[in-house]
Amino acid sequence: MKTKFELELADVKRIAAAAEAEALKNQWAVTIAIVDDGGHLLWLQRLDGAPAISSHIAPAKAHTAALGRRESKVYEDVINGGRTSFLSAPAVAGMLEGGVPILKNGQCLGAVGVSGVKSSEDAQIARVGIAAIGL
């Protein structure tokens, strides 16, 4: 039998606080979403001034990163590389950079999705959040 790591509420709060601090430091108005390994929403935070649509995009990016166990940018690159048929993949909606999986010892614990600024900046915020728990 295997042992499974999972996010606890304290972890989620640390990730969210670090991600928020990174966004505020750079004056980026974003939405931050954190999901578990099944893509289920654990946290959603829309900072002042973040576009309304970002509250839909951030969880979708996180969901995609968690289920795929890789950054959502991978899927964006596949599509931009010409494999547009991947747009029909079931249950995968957030195929834009900004979703980053939370990995520990090869296991996916969940993911962080951010939306509201440039996609590379969204991913930066997500990575800073994840680093707050030592991963």
Side-chain angles (χ1 to χ4, degrees), residues 22-76:
E22 179 70 6
L24 293 175
K25 176 181 88 173
N26 291 289
Q27 299 181 338
W28 293 335
V30 298
T31 296
I32 301 160
I34 304 170
V35 300
D36 65 13
D37 62 335
H40 306 285
L41 192 61
L42 299 173
W43 188 273
L44 182 68
Q45 181 176 2
R46 185 173 156 206
L47 301 182
D48 293 340
I53 196 166
S54 68
S55 65
H56 293 279
I57 296 171
K61 289 179 179 183
H63 182 265
T64 296
L67 292 183
R69 307 323 196 223
R70 60 184 53 109
E71 292 201 23
S72 55
K73 183 180 186 326
V74 169
Y75 303 107
E76 181 178 4

Side-chain angles (χ1 to χ4, degrees), residues 1-130:
M1 186 173 294
K2 294 181 180 181
T3 300
K4 179 181 172 184
F5 296 105
E6 61 182 39
L7 293 172
E8 296 180 342
L9 181 58
D11 301 318
V12 172
K13 287 180 176 182
R14 277 195 303 275
I15 293 167
E20 177 184 5
E22 179 70 6
L24 293 175
K25 176 181 88 173
N26 291 289
Q27 299 181 338
W28 293 335
V30 298
T31 296
I32 301 160
I34 304 170
V35 300
D36 65 13
D37 62 335
H40 306 285
L41 192 61
L42 299 173
W43 188 273
L44 182 68
Q45 181 176 2
R46 185 173 156 206
L47 301 182
D48 293 340
I53 196 166
S54 68
S55 65
H56 293 279
I57 296 171
K61 289 179 179 183
H63 182 265
T64 296
L67 292 183
R69 307 323 196 223
R70 60 184 53 109
E71 292 201 23
S72 55
K73 183 180 186 326
V74 169
Y75 303 107
E76 181 178 4
D77 291 345
V78 165
I79 294 162
N80 289 342
R83 189 164 184 220
T84 56
S85 63
F86 198 80
L87 289 167
S88 67
V92 184
M95 295 183 278
L96 302 165
E97 183 177 8
V100 180
I102 304 167
L103 303 171
K104 179 177 177 137
N105 297 343
Q107 292 182 23
C108 183
L109 285 67
V112 179
V114 179
S115 177
V117 287
K118 292 179 190 174
S119 291
S120 60
E121 296 166 346
D122 290 341
Q124 175 183 327
I125 294 166
R127 287 189 200 100
V128 168
I130 295 166

